[in-house]
Amino acid sequence: MTTLLSGTQRKENTRRGEDMNIAIIGTGYVGLVAGACFARKYDVVCVDIDAWKVDSINDGESPFYESGLDIVLDDSLHSGRLRATTDIFDAISASDLVFICVGTPSLHSGAIDLSFVESAAVDIGKVLADIDDYKIIIQRSTVVPTTTRDLVGGIIERTSGKSVGRDFGIAFVPEFLREGNAVDDFLNPDRVIIGTDDKNVANILGELYRDFYPELPDDNILFMSSESAELVKYASNSFLATKISFANEIASLAELISGVDVIDVMRGVGFDHRISPKYFGAGAGFGGSCFPKDIKALIDFARTKRFEPLLLESVIKRNEFQAMHIVDLVEDAVHSLKDSKIAILGLSFKPNTSDMREAPSLRIIAELIERGAGQIIGCDPQSIDDARKILGNRIRYTLNPNDALKDANIAIVLTEWDEFEKLTPADFIENMATPVVLDARRIYDCEEFSKVLKYIAIGKRIID
Ligand code: NAD
């Protein structure tokens, strides 16, 4: 039987510390990593509308490749603290904290598509309408400022007939994990940002994170409004993407100056503790599910405020230019694009993930095809299934780097997988029709390679 309590009593009865139960809505990279990791300490129920993902999780198999996730998932399932379901009522009624981790993709205009967040908020509202317990709803998907308070809070209030602050609490807590390193990033964050004006919610979430991260200094748990927290997430990703575009700009300049190597330059610059060497490598450009989409969403959001964000626009343009630049280098290096076999080493946007979203390989392959490239073969240890869904039979695929190199006229390194780092100049020379390597990730030793084959490196002028 449900006990009828006043809003204040319900709040005070909220379980604290290790007794808290968690529901996670959306089991993509963010939701599943959070669910599997939180389940080390708390009871967690993950919800997804995709029954195949739910079954896969309950069977102990991550629906996507993410380094180290299978082990955490396995431990959490065996401890009995984690389960997945498609039944949101079951998940929310068993939980104190409800994290919304659904996708927020880009619309064609670049604006953020909030339809998944809206529909999750409606679903949560419907559950809250039927139960009396106080819940805290934590918006975890990246959203533009004011979304948590106005859109999510507003929808839940309207759908449930309950009041935010009294019957349920709301907060925005951004996720900063990097795909490929997601488990470690989740377990060892630099900081936790708790965005809420509700003191009760701030206290409970403060306790949760202090309990879950006992090693994290108190000063690294930051409290602010949900709007500031929403902007922290966008500003962080925009800044990291800006560093990458900046490195690519300096790399292109370096390629025009004999004796300069962008690796040395950025190391020299990054040693300044005000700058830091991280995310400062020149390469094929940034990609993935977050940087391009988040910067475009922030640009669109700025324009709704009648502000033209010149720097952010340049960061995107510079990133798109890098793909064109790489194809220019290919065109210069081969006799004819039409008659060449091109081996692409690496399709995923970075190593240790199968994620193909906004991968530089997609921009580069599209441009190669546009310019008439005859034969392209893509090699990747994890992302071929996902790549095939996007590129279909416009290219061929292989798991084996030596197969990719067979009779090729140029090999382009686009992802720094270990499998490619292990290749020696002999692998290229023995397999390729014309051994030409365009190293867009700078994984090979310039001197060793350029002595025995035609080696082109982003950010370094190599004299034949
Ligand atoms: P994703 O697309 O991989 O996963 C989203 C999941 O939500 C899918 O499994 C989908 O089926 C499910 N879903 C959609 N609507 C639902 C609903 N109403 N109820 C239940 N499940 C539902 O997304 P992701 O990469 O995990 O990203 C989630 C959010 O986190 C995005 O806003 C993203 O910008 C942000 N983020 C992502 C990363 C990253 O590295 N991927 C890092 C930080 C923040």
Side-chain angles (χ1 to χ4, degrees):
M1 199 179 72
T2 322
T3 325
L4 284 178
L5 299 169
S6 72
T8 316
Q9 283 172 311
R10 283 197 297 268
K11 252 195 229 181
E12 282 167 1
N13 283 2
T14 304
R15 281 174 291 221
R16 313 289 275 240
E18 285 194 31
D19 292 333
M20 286 186 278
N21 293 342
I22 292 176
I24 306 264
I25 317 289
T27 62
Y29 285 87
V30 166
L32 185 54
V33 169
C37 291
F38 269 143
R40 287 175 152 201
K41 207 151 193 180
Y42 312 106
D43 283 343
V44 178
V45 191
C46 286
V47 189
D48 208 291
I49 46 175
D50 185 334
W52 173 79
K53 284 190 180 173
V54 165
D55 289 344
S56 169
I57 295 165
N58 285 329
D59 287 344
E61 274 174 37
S62 167
F64 49 86
Y65 175 75
E66 174 61 42
S67 181
L69 180 56
D70 276 341
I71 299 167
V72 187
L73 184 60
D74 197 56
D75 287 353
S76 296
L77 288 167
H78 278 100
S79 71
R81 284 191 175 275
L82 178 72
R83 66 187 170 92
T85 177
T86 52
D87 183 346
I88 194 166
F89 185 89
D90 162 35
I92 295 182
S93 43
S95 303
D96 307 285
L97 310 177
V98 180
F99 286 81
I100 302 178
C101 301
V102 299
T104 48
S106 281
L107 291 169
H108 196 60
S109 62
I112 182 175
D113 176 357
L114 288 167
S115 57
F116 295 107
V117 171
E118 283 170 6
S119 107
V122 168
D123 292 346
I124 293 169
K126 284 182 187 160
V127 177
L128 294 194
D130 288 341
I131 56 176
D132 285 313
D133 302 336
Y134 174 86
K135 308 282 176 193
I136 295 177
I137 315 301
I138 301 119
Q139 174 61 39
R140 189 79 161 156
S141 316
T142 305
V143 288
V144 291
T146 71
T147 305
T148 302
R149 190 194 298 265
D150 294 348
L151 186 91
V152 179
I155 290 177
I156 297 176
E157 278 196 317
R158 283 193 299 281
T159 324
S160 63
K162 305 269 168 83
S163 293
V164 67
R166 192 193 65 186
D167 303 309
F168 68 95
I170 196 153
F172 177 73
V173 178
E175 174 60 78
F176 296 104
L177 61 77
R178 293 162 298 166
E179 280 176 28
N181 217 50
V183 172
D184 195 46
D185 284 347
F186 188 89
L187 295 174
N188 302 293
D190 292 330
R191 79 299 207 193
V192 171
I193 308 282
I194 298 177
T196 183
D197 290 334
D198 181 328
K199 285 204 168 63
N200 177 56
V201 171
N203 284 338
I204 291 175
L205 293 183
E207 270 181 40
L208 169 84
Y209 284 108
R210 274 189 281 272
D211 181 50
F212 192 68
Y213 299 121
E215 310 276 304
L216 189 70
D218 263 7
D219 285 352
N220 295 34
I221 301 183
L222 281 71
F223 295 89
M224 59 187 72
S225 69
S226 57
E227 290 78 9
S228 293
E230 287 163 331
L231 195 52
V232 166
K233 173 66 195 172
Y234 278 108
S236 299
N237 274 357
S238 299
F239 187 72
L240 293 171
T242 303
K243 284 186 83 175
I244 294 170
S245 275
F246 180 81
N248 283 335
E249 184 95 329
I250 300 298
S252 295
L253 184 59
E255 287 159 23
L256 303 173
I257 315 167
S258 297
V260 173
D261 186 338
V262 76
I263 291 185
D264 295 331
V265 175
M266 298 331 266
R267 198 184 316 130
V269 178
F271 245 88
D272 185 329
H273 70 275
R274 295 168 301 178
I275 298 176
S276 133
K278 305 238 172 89
Y279 282 74
F280 221 20
F286 56 80
S289 65
C290 290
F291 285 3
K293 136 179 125 56
D294 288 353
I295 301 179
K296 286 178 195 161
L298 191 54
I299 290 172
D300 178 82
F301 178 74
R303 288 185 186 144
T304 65
K305 302 282 168 204
R306 297 176 183 277
F307 171 65
E308 205 53 41
L310 300 175
L311 179 59
L312 300 179
E313 285 164 3
S314 302
V315 170
I316 289 286
K317 268 195 208 145
R318 187 61 185 75
N319 199 47
E320 284 162 4
F321 171 78
Q322 191 67 1
M324 303 300 119
H325 175 59
I326 286 172
V327 178
D328 287 345
L329 293 173
V330 177
E331 251 190 324
D332 287 348
V334 296
H335 172 62
S336 128
L337 268 187
K338 188 168 147 289
D339 299 324
S340 297
K341 178 181 168 190
I342 300 168
I344 306 277
L345 300 184
L347 295 169
S348 59
F349 83 97
K350 65 173 178 180
N352 303 321
T353 174
S354 57
D355 202 339
M356 283 296 300
R357 289 178 282 186
E358 299 271 355
S361 65
L362 295 175
R363 292 190 285 276
I364 290 163
I365 290 169
E367 185 63 17
L368 284 168
I369 294 172
E370 175 72 24
R371 295 197 204 175
Q375 291 179 61
I376 302 175
I377 182 158
C379 178
D380 195 286
Q382 291 295 341
S383 70
I384 286 181
D385 289 348
D386 290 348
R388 206 190 295 273
K389 284 183 202 144
I390 305 168
L391 294 164
N393 57 9
R394 283 183 288 165
I395 69 168
R396 290 194 299 119
Y397 306 89
T398 179
L399 279 169
N400 183 335
N402 285 316
D403 277 355
L405 297 179
K406 198 102 221 123
D407 301 327
N409 299 95
I410 185 164
I412 315 172
V413 181
L414 292 184
T415 318
E416 60 275 42
W417 284 101
D418 285 349
E419 285 83 343
F420 306 143
E421 287 187 23
K422 282 183 198 139
L423 294 173
T424 62
D427 292 311
F428 292 93
I429 293 167
E430 281 161 23
N431 283 302
M432 294 178 75
T434 49
V436 181
V437 178
L438 196 173
D439 186 356
R441 292 295 182 183
R442 297 299 304 268
I443 60 174
Y444 299 127
D445 184 282
C446 266
E447 236 184 273
E448 185 192 3
F449 271 63
S450 54
K451 256 191 225 154
V452 289
L453 49 74
K454 186 170 167 84
Y455 179 73
I456 305 152
I458 286 292
K460 183 170 169 71
R461 183 168 190 188
I462 293 166
I463 322 264
D464 290 322

